[in-house]
Amino acid sequence: MRFIIAGGTGLIGSALAASLAHDRHDVVILTRSPGSATGLPAGVRAVGWDGRTAEGWGALVDGAAGIVSLAGANIAGEGLLPTRWTAARKAVLRDSRVSPGGAIVEAVARAKVKPAVVVQASGVGFYGSRGDERLDEGSGAGRDFLARLAAEEWEPSTEPVEGMGVRRVVIRSGAVLDAREGALPRLVLPFRFFVGGRLGSGRQYLPWIHLADEVGAIRFLLENPSARGPFNLVAPHQVTN
């Protein structure tokens, strides 16, 4: 079966692509720089896209088993230190998430044989910061920038595929932790220089999930035809900073 992963060169996308390819699926990762996507596992190929339209890759959606949209600029920035959320940075975060959704909708609309499922990435930032309140998939959105972006634009960006008869799943992921990549090496770095410690009061929660569990959850949602709507992808026991 063919699976298409938008944002397939990132931490989650790379691991998901390798997992699917290991089971002999045909995996296509969409990237703005296909020439830079080297060392891909057997069964994984990189195809270029502009993140805005279906041009150049849309035909691959016809008859595909599923599409996973993981596209989006890193919330914390690309360097070792977090990037300030200036107006320009907020615009990048928004455009890199919303425009790919529109491109996927366009590709699905063109397909004669619709994909079975679209998995739309989101984050636990959907809920905002709400202290000790216990939140589940039915809880409403928060009011800060990330919450409004997720609830009003990011998650709805692929919603039109449901009207085309395509099953859609929304994954609200916590911080995805892996020993070699992603958020964990950044969190550990200050401790390696003996300056680590809590941030502020330290009472703020840090919903998290291991990379292997994130990939396993996405695969379950891809393969389970009864799965629809939002799912929180986080470890069952939450911890504070």
Side-chain angles (χ1 to χ4, degrees):
M1 292 188 287
R2 183 167 65 257
F3 291 93
I4 300 170
I5 306 175
T9 58
L11 174 66
I12 303 170
S14 297
L16 176 61
S19 175
L20 290 167
H22 181 267
D23 289 342
R24 301 186 181 280
H25 293 296
D26 175 22
V27 183
V28 177
I29 59 174
L30 302 179
T31 172
R32 288 179 172 84
S33 304
S36 301
T38 58
L40 299 176
V44 180
R45 52 191 166 122
V47 174
W49 78 327
D50 60 9
R52 295 178 175 276
T53 69
E55 296 303 319
W57 65 275
L60 297 169
V61 171
D62 206 331
I67 304 173
V68 182
S69 179
L70 301 171
N74 194 310
I75 291 292
E78 308 303 330
L80 286 176
L81 298 177
T83 301
R84 292 187 62 189
W85 285 0
T86 61
R89 182 62 184 173
K90 287 181 178 180
V92 169
L93 294 175
R94 177 193 176 278
D95 187 61
S96 65
R97 284 162 170 75
V98 178
S99 294
I104 289 170
V105 170
E106 178 186 342
V108 172
R110 291 184 184 183
K112 294 180 180 178
V113 180
K114 308 298 184 190
V117 58
V118 169
V119 174
Q120 171 63 56
S122 183
V124 292
F126 172 95
Y127 303 104
S129 179
R130 288 151 76 168
D132 293 329
E133 182 181 351
R134 187 176 180 85
L135 304 168
D136 62 24
E137 295 84 354
S139 301
R143 298 180 180 180
D144 59 22
F145 166 71
L146 274 185
R148 288 185 287 105
L149 174 60
E152 298 172 10
E153 298 184 90
W154 189 11
E155 292 186 9
S157 67
T158 52
E159 189 173 0
V161 303
E162 296 179 16
M164 305 175 200
V166 177
R167 178 169 66 90
R168 192 176 76 109
V169 175
V170 176
I171 53 172
R172 295 172 183 161
S173 300
V176 180
L177 302 185
D178 177 71
R180 294 169 295 179
E181 299 181 67
L184 187 57
R186 289 184 177 187
L187 294 172
V188 169
L189 185 62
F191 292 89
R192 295 192 184 280
F193 288 95
F194 304 101
V195 293
R198 68 188 186 189
L199 300 177
S201 69
R203 293 194 297 268
Q204 62 271 34
Y205 282 89
L206 179 65
W208 66 279
I209 184 170
H210 190 282
L211 177 61
D213 291 328
E214 176 85 1
V215 170
I218 294 173
R219 290 209 53 175
F220 173 82
L221 295 170
L222 282 171
E223 297 161 9
N224 187 338
S226 66
R228 295 175 180 270
F231 290 82
N232 290 330
L233 270 55
V234 293
H237 303 294
Q238 295 305 309
V239 295
T240 62
N241 173 252

